[in-house]
Amino acid sequence: MKNKSVIPFVAVAAALITWAYHAVFGRWPMMPAAASAEAAFVDSAWNGLFAIETAIYGLVVGFILYCLVAFRAKSRDEQGDASDRSRGRLVEAGWILASTILTLALAAFGAKELRAVVGGTHADHDVEVRASQFSWEIYYPKYNQYGSKLFLEEGKRHRIILTSKDVVHSFWVPEFRLKQDAVPGKVIHLMLTPTVKGEYTLLCSELCGADHTTMTSLVEVLDHEAFEEQMKAEF
Amino acid sequence: MTNLLAALASGIAVFALGTFALGRVLGPQPAAVLSYLVALLVYLGVLGGWKALVSWTRGEEPAEEHGWRRYFNFDVDHKVVGVQYIAATLLVFLVGGLMALIMRLELARHGLQYLTHVEYNTVMTLHGISMTVVALIAIVGGIGNFVVPLQVGARDMAFPRMNALSFWLLPPAVLLLLATPFAGGLDFGWTAYAPLSTRGTALGKLFFLLAFLSVGFSSIFGGVNFLATVLTMRAKGMGWTRVPIFTWSVIAASIISLMGTSVVASSLVMVVFDRILHTTFFDPALGGSALLYQHLFWYYSHPAVYIMILPAFGAILEVIPVFARKPLFAYPIAAVSLLAITALSFIVWAHHMFTSGMWGVLKIPFMVNTELISVPTGVVFLAVLGTLWRSKMRLDAPMVWALAMVLNFLVGGLTGIPLADAPTDLHLHDTWFVVAHFHFTIMGGAVFGFMTAFHHWYPKITGRKLDDALAKIQCALMFVGFNAVFIPLFWLGTHGMRRRVADFPEWMDPVQTFASSATLIVAASVVVFLYNIIRSLKTGEVAGDNPWEAKTLEWKAPSPPPHGNFKTPPAVTEEPYGYGVRA
Amino acid sequence: MSATTAQDADWTEEDGGRVGLWLFILSEILLFGGFLASYLSTRLGNAECALGVVSWPEAGHGASLALATLNTVLLLTSSYTMVRAISRASRGDADGFRANLAATMTLGLGFLAVKGVEYWLKVSHGWYPGSEFARSNPGMSIFLSYYYLLTIFHGLHVIAGLVWNGAVYSAAGRLPAPQLARKAEYAGLYWHFVDVVWVLLFPLLYLI
Ligand code: HEA
Ligand code: HEA
Ligand code: CUA
Ligand SMILES: [Cu+2]
């Protein structure tokens, strides 16, 4: 009978959370606007996790709040009832089983999205991105063009070929949801498919020394014509 | 006192002179390393380590002193060492907090107001490392040293002299860290990734590495000591099913510091060699490997985070049954899951390296292992919730702290999952989402856990009570302030706020300013805390042996316990946590 | 849990020394484990090397191989004398103990001396990290890096072992037999550990 009386509390908690969810994230979305094919998968992974975890959070907090209301000692010498082992065993087993299944499910889901994000190795454009303290150098082999600004073609699949001259740096464009370190002595490929024309910032997101803060550069996603133009033009 | 000053003075003198004199011949960095080793020995020797060594070779009992002076000496009583650890923790926490205040001041608005980039990095790194040290030593070193021998009914730790040694290794480390800003500063964060950390000739970076190594050895010795104590000195009748959960958590943490620390030591030593002997471990141009450092570092530094949190779990699981007046729910599997966390923690390290360019296929197993840790951690939560159910809660300060810790850590833990999830981590890695995650786990979990333990065992340690109302006010302030500071950081992180940068786009200003102001609330709570301690030491009411009516062994000893702890050897005759079972 | 202070109860203190020592040695093993894992992972041509597969120096470089073999013999013998020392101590024969321990320590010092000669040879041929020769030859540079790292650290452990033995040696007269036996056993355990490490290093640094 006590167990039943939990239900309204859970319901209220759930209702509150959903309301707060819309109130807050309707106004302040959780993620910046997505601008790459990969971002879609990252975001779906995120949304899945967020939903499940909000539920877990709500249940746990709701339970604690209920206990705070229902199980206070009125006089100091009151004692709670010694737990009854037989019921305990069942709860333990159930909880462990549930959380194991849940975690494995989450991991499987994550693995699936990861494969989607990484995708195949086919690419329309190769772009070499060379990091060094504290600047980015971009090279387009096909057009033999150098520059510090990263131009990408809308809807095309790019192979970003990352190298570093000195220490570890990291390639990150929030709207693309992709991050990849540039490691000295290694050549690392990052597959990237921008889907929305516009200007973005490329951020170095691995601490690389004094001026790590300022190690940023511009990214511009252009449609086919503009891109070809840009590649012919002088940088 | 004089003793300590002499030791520090001679140590510093040797270090400074040695670095200066040898520097001419060997170059400053090798000179610094050599003279640090010598200075360390001199300092420990003068402090009383030499006497201890001699008495050991003679097979004599360690000498014991009396009075307040002992707290400034190479004293071997585990209770003295515990108090020393707690005091040191608070001091370092204040320093780290001061750094945090400076950082938040700079971060209150976009652009650079007060610091240069390098200065910001230095402050940020010092904040990170000093707070890491705090979290590592607070509960295990402080509370653990005081409580564990009492809880298992022993007279002292297995190796009292080594115990003192592991504490006295800390002051030099702290001094080194405080010296770094005046020795060229630090630009590599508390993780000190190579090859960044092998470059440049600034002595400051070397100081950082030496300090980290000293702390490392301190915690190895600590680990050996705790394990030996619990394995060989448990009171008569204390089988493994009767070991209190807090002691279990310290066992788990000690296993980690034993099996992890020396590996991170190896990586730091290699960095030091690269700096002073021109070796090329991390220089790919000369056959080295840049990723190697990250693997070695995280092999330890991930488990290290469980050194911080496991004792916090132990503390709240110890406290909650006492104030719920009800046996600890699922006690056996809770103890087992602490060990399960320990085991798992060694096979998840690469979740810090999802974007590092390591072999892609490996991401999957590391992702699965990491998320599996939430199962044993979940069991800890089950134990908490199950104990609260149908309990008769007394909301004294320790209980309030424990509940606050649970609420905070829940957030920290759950936000760990998106980080463990490879696809989302591609976006979240090295953003402030991570920063918020680990403040919710370390500060919200470990520091709040320390506060729980501190308020719970304070009467045993000092024989006096803290003011309950003040303690609750402090808890409220810290809880509200802390959440106000760090909840917004999650959002900033997903929207492009990188870690370890002093500047950010203008549109972030409102949120950043809000976080900075909220820091003052946390600061206020800290001030209340300090006031409460001073007040109770002066005029606090006398607590008596067992103010909380708890049933574990430490409450059988007088408060504060005398040298040797128990008048007569105790023997355990009951299951732990027999609350509510009217016998 | 409630505790009675029963009459029959007594302090359970079978001394933790042995346990503690083994635990400490475990952490030492992990220290060398870290070094060796790095050495092997770098050496077994892992893809993370700058120039793809770095050409490592081929095994056994003349003089140093001979010296290293000599050193192996020295340490193994010292282990044997150590065993003898311990058995003497357990029989309470302090003088026999001292004699054998002295032999052990002499062999240990011998090891260090030989090591010194080997270093001197290497350095005088410019075989050290940061030398012209090493800078122009990645394989040598990284090999020498690990060579000096591992041997220096092993050397330090030999010295530590010697100090420990020395302490027990000086204590041998004063201590009652059982205590001496224990201290001897511990010192022995550590010394054996140091030898085993060398037995691992020898093939890894000189034979492959
Ligand atoms: C006390 C310290 C502490 C603790 C306990 C944790 C706990 C966890 N941490 Fe965290 N972490 C840090 C401190 C800590 N962390 C620090 C300092 C860093 C940054 C290092 C740096 O780069 O500077 C970091 C970084 C970090 C990363 C790297 C992020 C990045 O740089 O990209 C990851 C990724 O996997 C991670 C994951 C986790 C997970 C999965 C847990 C899990 O243990 C959490 C488990 C708990 C729960 C899940 C909640 C309770 C469980 C239940 C209620 C059961 C039901 C739940 C489910 C079934 C999901 N952490
Ligand atoms: C125990 C761990 C711990 C704790 C408690 C804290 C506490 C706080 N931390 Fe921090 N933090 C870390 C561990 C911790 N931190 C780590 C490991 C990093 C990563 C570093 C890295 O990336 O390398 C980090 C990084 C970090 C950053 C990110 C820096 C960056 O990436 O650019 C920020 C930013 O806001 C921050 C803020 C804070 C704040 C506001 C607090 C507040 O809660 C602090 C509250 C305390 C006080 C306000 C002290 C009050 C003191 C007084 C009032 C008296 C002071 C005067 C005297 C000394 C007498 N911390
Ligand atoms: Cu480049 Cu940070
Ligand atoms: Cu981790």
Side-chain angles (χ1 to χ4, degrees):
Chain A
M1 151 267 182
K2 263 213 177 321
N3 305 28
K4 282 213 184 52
S5 59
V6 188
I7 294 163
F9 280 86
V10 177
V12 171
L16 275 176
I17 290 164
T18 30
W19 174 78
Y21 178 90
H22 288 296
V24 176
F25 299 117
R27 177 106 166 57
W28 298 286
M30 280 182 287
M31 291 279 172
S36 79
E38 291 75 13
F41 305 117
V42 173
D43 287 355
S44 88
W46 166 266
N47 294 330
L49 287 178
F50 193 87
I52 294 175
E53 301 204 326
T54 328
I56 296 175
Y57 182 79
L59 288 176
V60 175
V61 174
F63 186 95
I64 293 180
L65 291 180
Y66 175 78
C67 292
L68 271 174
V69 180
F71 305 125
R72 294 277 277 286
K74 310 202 177 22
S75 74
R76 257 194 113 62
D77 51 12
E78 263 189 301
Q79 301 280 314
D81 58 3
S83 78
D84 138 16
R85 296 252 172 269
S86 60
R87 190 181 80 250
R89 291 266 175 287
L90 277 177
V91 181
E92 293 166 12
W95 176 282
I96 294 178
L97 201 68
S99 56
T100 315
I101 293 170
L102 192 53
T103 359
L104 290 178
L106 290 179
F109 180 55
K112 172 175 146 299
E113 298 294 7
L114 180 63
R115 281 194 58 246
V117 172
V118 174
T121 54
H122 145 81
D124 311 310
H125 295 299
D126 281 356
V127 185
E128 285 186 28
V129 175
R130 301 166 184 170
S132 64
Q133 288 170 326
F134 297 91
S135 65
W136 297 98
E137 185 190 54
I138 322 283
Y139 174 60
Y140 306 84
K142 190 161 35 161
Y143 309 86
N144 188 24
Q145 287 271 38
Y146 282 93
S148 68
K149 187 172 176 183
L150 173 60
F151 292 101
L152 300 169
E153 182 176 346
E154 178 188 15
K156 285 286 191 318
R157 196 162 161 80
H158 300 70
R159 177 186 292 108
I160 309 285
I161 302 167
L162 273 168
T163 54
S164 164
K165 289 202 186 70
D166 35 46
V167 303
V168 181
H169 304 269
S170 192
F171 173 103
W172 185 40
V173 181
E175 290 78 3
F176 296 164
R177 307 282 195 277
L178 283 179
K179 188 176 288 108
Q180 177 57 58
D181 293 5
V183 182
K186 274 174 77 85
V187 178
I188 299 172
H189 292 181
L190 171 66
M191 309 305 288
L192 158 61
T193 319
T195 51
V196 182
K197 287 208 295 279
E199 288 229 332
Y200 309 97
T201 8
L202 162 58
L203 304 163
C204 173
S205 60
E206 182 64 64
L207 178 56
C208 53
D211 291 336
H212 160 63
T213 308
T214 60
M215 186 168 165
T216 62
S217 181
L218 280 180
V219 183
E220 186 164 10
V221 179
L222 306 161
D223 59 27
H224 183 67
E225 294 68 24
F227 184 77
E228 292 299 329
E229 273 312 305
Q230 186 52 253
M231 285 299 128
K232 300 208 176 33
E234 269 311 309
F235 268 52
Chain B
M1 196 66 192
T2 49
N3 192 345
L4 171 59
L5 294 179
L8 286 174
S10 49
I12 294 172
V14 172
F15 183 52
L17 291 178
T19 314
F20 188 71
L22 290 178
R24 294 275 169 61
V25 198
L26 307 170
Q29 298 201 51
V33 174
L34 281 182
S35 27
Y36 178 66
L37 294 179
V38 181
L40 199 58
L41 292 179
V42 173
Y43 150 85
L44 287 172
V46 177
L47 194 60
W50 179 249
K51 264 193 247 124
L53 189 65
V54 172
S55 74
W56 175 79
T57 51
R58 298 233 173 99
E60 302 163 352
E61 282 291 307
E64 68 156 299
E65 303 135 85
H66 296 288
W68 60 272
R69 273 187 193 70
R70 60 202 311 226
Y71 291 97
F72 298 91
N73 275 340
F74 195 92
D75 193 282
V76 295
D77 185 319
H78 74 95
K79 298 183 288 301
V80 175
V81 176
V83 173
Q84 290 170 328
Y85 261 108
I86 294 177
T89 305
L90 294 180
L91 275 177
V92 181
F93 178 79
L94 286 182
V95 175
L98 200 61
M99 300 294 165
L101 289 170
I102 300 174
M103 230 176 2
R104 284 312 324 178
L105 188 65
E106 174 57 55
L107 291 168
R109 284 184 66 254
H110 72 283
L112 294 181
Q113 285 81 30
Y114 310 98
L115 304 175
T116 67
H117 289 303
V118 182
E119 284 163 357
Y120 178 83
N121 280 339
T122 309
V123 173
M124 180 271 295
T125 306
L126 283 181
H127 166 72
I129 193 66
S130 45
M131 288 301 199
T132 309
V133 172
V134 166
L136 281 175
I137 67 172
I139 309 186
V140 182
I143 310 292
N145 258 306
F146 196 102
V147 171
V148 166
L150 283 161
Q151 260 191 341
V152 300
R155 269 180 301 192
D156 203 318
M157 298 283 275
F159 313 111
R161 299 181 189 80
M162 193 163 88
N163 203 21
L165 173 63
S166 40
F167 171 76
W168 286 107
L169 277 173
L170 295 176
V174 175
L175 289 178
L176 274 178
L177 287 177
L178 292 179
T180 48
F182 314 103
L186 303 161
D187 63 359
F188 47 47
W190 83 279
T191 50
Y193 273 12
L196 181 58
S197 51
T198 65
R199 306 173 138 243
T201 55
L203 274 179
K205 303 187 178 190
L206 200 62
F207 289 1
F208 175 94
L209 297 163
L210 294 175
F212 204 141
L213 279 165
S214 314
V215 176
F217 282 107
S218 151
S219 79
I220 290 180
F221 294 146
V224 173
N225 220 335
F226 278 117
L227 287 176
T229 309
V230 179
L231 283 173
T232 63
M233 293 170 73
R234 292 198 310 285
K236 189 160 181 301
M238 186 181 281
W240 287 112
T241 56
R242 290 178 175 180
V243 173
I245 195 78
F246 178 69
T247 299
W248 271 115
S249 71
V250 172
I251 296 177
S254 303
I255 295 177
I256 296 178
S257 39
L258 195 66
M259 304 212 22
T261 317
S262 40
V263 174
V264 79
S266 71
S267 68
L268 295 169
V269 164
M270 285 157 79
V271 174
V272 172
F273 268 53
D274 270 10
R275 292 187 72 83
I276 65 174
L277 293 183
H278 310 97
T279 55
T280 58
F281 299 112
F282 305 114
D283 176 359
L286 286 170
S289 152
L291 278 193
L292 177 61
Y293 177 87
Q294 295 182 29
H295 281 293
L296 291 176
F297 182 84
W298 289 119
Y299 169 84
Y300 161 75
S301 290
H302 177 80
V305 307
Y306 295 103
I307 299 183
M308 304 171 183
I309 205 64
L310 286 171
F313 288 163
I316 62 160
L317 291 181
E318 193 72 55
V319 166
I320 286 176
V322 175
F323 294 90
R325 307 314 296 171
K326 186 167 171 296
L328 176 58
F329 186 80
Y331 157 72
I333 60 166
V336 172
S337 49
L338 293 180
L339 297 178
I341 295 178
T342 308
L344 280 171
S345 72
F346 281 101
I347 50 173
V348 300
W349 75 87
H351 65 219
H352 296 269
M353 300 170 60
F354 282 145
T355 69
S356 69
M358 68 179 203
W359 187 31
V361 182
L362 276 180
K363 288 177 187 173
I364 304 288
F366 277 108
M367 175 165 90
V368 177
N369 297 351
T370 308
E371 296 188 356
L372 275 180
I373 290 190
S374 39
V375 173
T377 316
V379 173
V380 173
F381 274 74
L382 174 66
V384 171
L385 302 182
T387 312
L388 293 182
W389 184 250
R390 294 214 189 146
S391 62
K392 286 277 178 281
M393 265 185 260
R394 300 174 181 172
L395 288 185
D396 297 306
M399 184 64 164
V400 177
W401 277 104
L403 294 174
M405 183 276 191
V406 172
L407 292 180
N408 285 333
F409 183 75
L410 183 61
V411 177
L414 288 174
T415 51
I417 303 300
L419 295 174
D421 193 66
T424 41
D425 188 58
L426 293 183
H427 179 57
L428 299 174
H429 173 68
D430 261 326
T431 67
W432 271 26
F433 189 93
V434 180
V435 172
H437 156 71
F438 66 69
H439 280 88
F440 264 95
T441 49
I442 309 191
M443 185 172 184
V447 171
F448 274 69
F450 168 75
M451 287 297 176
T452 311
F454 186 87
H455 285 82
H456 183 60
W457 279 295
Y458 182 90
K460 178 56 58 182
I461 296 173
T462 62
R464 292 175 176 280
K465 277 187 173 170
L466 286 164
D467 181 72
D468 200 58
L470 275 177
K472 285 173 184 166
I473 295 173
Q474 180 212 348
C475 183
L477 282 174
M478 203 177 225
F479 185 80
V480 173
F482 165 73
N483 280 274
V485 176
F486 290 102
I487 296 263
L489 302 199
F490 284 115
W491 186 83
L492 281 180
T494 56
H495 283 75
M497 182 65 199
R498 298 174 284 163
R499 289 180 67 178
R500 300 160 171 180
V501 296
D503 190 9
F504 45 82
E506 186 167 359
W507 60 264
M508 291 185 180
D509 273 2
V511 189
Q512 292 281 26
T513 318
F514 177 79
S516 293
S517 348
T519 308
L520 297 177
I521 307 180
V522 186
S525 76
V526 175
V527 175
V528 175
F529 179 54
L530 300 177
Y531 170 72
N532 197 0
I533 297 176
I534 297 166
R535 194 194 135 286
S536 95
L537 286 180
K538 282 220 187 75
T539 63
E541 68 174 289
V542 177
D545 291 357
N546 191 358
W548 313 122
E549 300 165 46
K551 299 204 170 188
T552 40
L553 266 183
E554 72 269 31
W555 302 103
K556 292 286 181 294
S559 0
H563 187 74
N565 296 345
F566 299 94
K567 296 187 197 63
T568 53
V572 180
T573 54
E574 273 181 38
E575 293 302 304
Y577 311 115
Y579 304 100
V581 279
R582 286 169 199 73
Chain C
M1 85 203 62
S2 96
T4 59
T5 44
Q7 274 59 34
D8 62 336
D10 194 5
W11 298 108
T12 48
E13 285 183 26
E14 78 213 53
D15 118 304
R18 190 177 289 97
V19 181
L21 185 54
W22 275 111
L23 292 170
F24 182 69
I25 288 182
L26 172 65
S27 80
E28 290 267 50
I29 292 174
L30 280 148
L31 177 71
F32 281 98
F35 291 144
L36 288 175
S38 317
Y39 173 56
L40 292 176
S41 68
T42 315
R43 171 143 199 170
L44 302 178
N46 70 348
E48 284 151 25
C49 282
L51 324 171
V53 180
V54 180
S55 61
W56 291 71
E58 71 296 336
H61 0 93
S64 56
L65 178 56
L67 291 174
T69 327
L70 170 60
N71 261 347
T72 317
V73 178
L74 286 180
L75 274 196
L76 289 180
T77 345
S78 77
S79 263
Y80 170 67
T81 51
M82 190 47 142
V83 173
R84 284 169 57 94
I86 296 173
S87 68
R88 292 290 183 289
S90 59
R91 276 194 243 120
D93 155 13
D95 301 337
F97 167 72
R98 284 196 156 170
N100 283 289
L101 192 61
T104 312
M105 296 202 284
T106 329
L107 289 163
L109 288 169
F111 173 91
L112 290 178
V114 176
K115 200 80 218 156
V117 176
E118 192 184 331
Y119 281 159
W120 177 75
L121 278 177
K122 280 209 163 47
V123 172
S124 56
H125 288 68
W127 281 41
Y128 57 90
S131 69
E132 283 313 312
F133 171 60
R135 288 232 155 275
S136 59
N137 180 340
M140 268 335 266
S141 176
I142 187 67
F143 171 76
L144 290 174
S145 301
Y146 278 108
Y147 167 81
Y148 282 103
L149 175 73
L150 288 164
T151 49
I152 288 180
F153 259 78
H154 178 258
L156 290 177
H157 280 72
V158 173
I159 296 176
L162 286 174
V163 174
W164 192 333
N165 294 347
V168 182
Y169 185 93
S170 66
R174 278 184 248 95
L175 289 177
Q179 274 216 34
L180 175 61
R182 230 193 295 115
K183 289 220 183 317
E185 181 200 339
Y186 298 164
L189 248 173
Y190 192 75
W191 189 256
H192 290 318
F193 161 72
V194 174
D195 292 358
V196 172
V197 172
W198 175 257
V199 173
L200 272 175
L201 293 190
F202 179 60
L204 287 176
L205 288 177
Y206 296 89
L207 301 185
I208 62 171

